[in-house]
């Protein structure tokens, strides 16, 4: 959530940021390859001087930041990690309506079909299940990052009107670089009350 906004923010500030692709291939693939080879997570990505990985997964089917959280944090012990938050009902609606015009294969359904650490196959059918999954993930991230004194965890609410100022304070990039870069697709979309509660 918020990966396009993060990527745009860092690029606006002159950082070398990647957004799900690393040197012409999916970041998720090269990260997993590095981890499985017993190497640092980004060692097989074949790109140099990256300042920010704004998105490293390959969709719900390969959420490396969830499934390989421990290996990633341990592999880059002096990194700054950003944990994004937003209203969970809005996130659920966004997932249910993304990508546009593909209701039979939307992101929420893909989450439900995937087998994710903390969100087993068949779970993710409503806001409550997504909220529980994300809450547990947040706890895991906080615990894992806390193990490495050189690491830093920044938590942001991507819907907070002051998030640009928060980012500027931490990273030094002008707050005007922050903005909602992907939200226009789902602003007017809804899901039924029954679907939210099932």
């Amino acid at each position: 959530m918020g990966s396009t906004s993060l990527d745009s923010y860092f690029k606006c500030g002159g950082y070398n940021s990647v957004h799900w692709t690393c040197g012409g291939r999916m970041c998720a693939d090269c990260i997993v390859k590095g981890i499985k080879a017993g190497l640092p997570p980004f060692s097989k990505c074949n790109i140099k001087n990256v300042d920010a990985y704004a998105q490293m997964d390959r969709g719900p089917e390969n959420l490396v930041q969830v499934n390989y959280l421990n290996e990633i944090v341990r592999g880059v012990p002096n990194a700054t990690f950003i944990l994004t938050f937003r209203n969970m009902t809005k996130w659920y609606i966004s997932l249910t309506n993304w990508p546009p015009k593909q209701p039979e294969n939307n992101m929420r359904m893909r989450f439900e079909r995937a087998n994710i650490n903390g969100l087993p196959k068949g779970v993710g059918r409503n806001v409550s299940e997504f909220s529980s999954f994300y809450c547990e993930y947040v706890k895991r991230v906080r615990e894992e990052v806390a193990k490495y004194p050189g690491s830093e965890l920044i938590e942001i609410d991507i819907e907070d009107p002051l998030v640009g100022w928060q980012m500027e304070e931490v990273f030094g990039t002008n707050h005007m670089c922050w903005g909602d870069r992907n939200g226009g697709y789902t602003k007017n979309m809804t899901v039924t009350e029954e679907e939210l509660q099932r």
Side-chain angles (χ1 to χ4, degrees):
M1 91 183 54
S3 62
T4 305
S5 297
L6 284 169
D7 185 56
S8 295
Y9 173 82
F10 285 119
K11 285 178 177 167
C12 175
Y15 288 91
N16 184 11
S17 178
V18 295
H19 187 235
W20 61 266
T21 57
C22 292
R25 61 196 272 196
M26 302 295 284
C27 295
D29 296 341
C30 60
I31 291 168
V32 171
K33 189 174 181 180
I35 290 169
K36 288 189 174 182
L39 299 168
F42 303 102
S43 63
K44 295 286 187 178
C45 291
N46 297 324
I47 51 176
K48 304 286 185 217
N49 304 318
V50 173
D51 300 309
Y53 289 86
Q55 180 177 350
M56 57 182 71
D57 61 70
R58 189 178 190 151
E61 299 80 8
N62 193 357
L63 283 177
V64 295
Q65 71 274 26
V66 177
N67 293 332
Y68 295 95
L69 174 66
N70 301 1
E71 293 86 348
I72 291 170
V73 176
R74 185 174 55 246
V76 285
N78 296 310
T80 298
F81 296 91
I82 301 174
L83 191 54
T84 57
F85 294 88
R86 72 178 296 192
N87 175 287
M88 294 308 291
T89 300
K90 289 181 182 178
W91 185 41
Y92 182 86
I93 291 170
S94 177
L95 291 171
T96 302
N97 290 288
W98 184 261
K101 301 177 184 171
Q102 290 190 29
E104 68 288 340
N105 192 36
N106 65 48
M107 192 65 72
R108 197 229 19 103
M109 289 178 167
R110 290 174 58 196
F111 267 92
E112 188 180 338
R113 289 191 301 258
N115 186 21
I116 302 165
N117 189 345
L119 190 71
K121 192 173 186 174
V123 180
R125 297 171 30 101
N126 56 46
V127 176
S128 177
E129 290 177 354
F130 268 99
S131 296
S132 295
F133 158 67
Y134 201 69
C135 184
E136 291 304 313
Y137 173 64
V138 166
K139 291 176 188 175
R140 285 182 56 222
V141 170
R142 289 173 177 162
E143 289 170 6
E144 193 62 30
V145 173
K147 293 177 185 176
Y148 300 91
S151 293
E152 185 175 4
L153 179 62
I154 308 298
E155 299 185 17
I156 62 170
D157 178 345
I158 64 171
E159 296 174 334
D160 185 332
L162 299 177
V163 70
W165 289 100
Q166 180 186 1
M167 295 291 284
E168 180 175 333
E169 185 177 312
V170 174
F171 297 103
T173 296
N174 189 298
H175 66 277
M176 296 299 291
C177 286
W178 181 263
D180 181 354
R181 302 290 187 246
N182 220 10
Y185 295 104
T186 57
K187 282 200 186 318
N188 297 316
M189 297 184 177
T190 60
V191 294
T192 65
E193 182 84 16
E194 177 186 343
E195 190 172 2
L196 285 172
Q197 298 177 354
R198 65 178 171 172

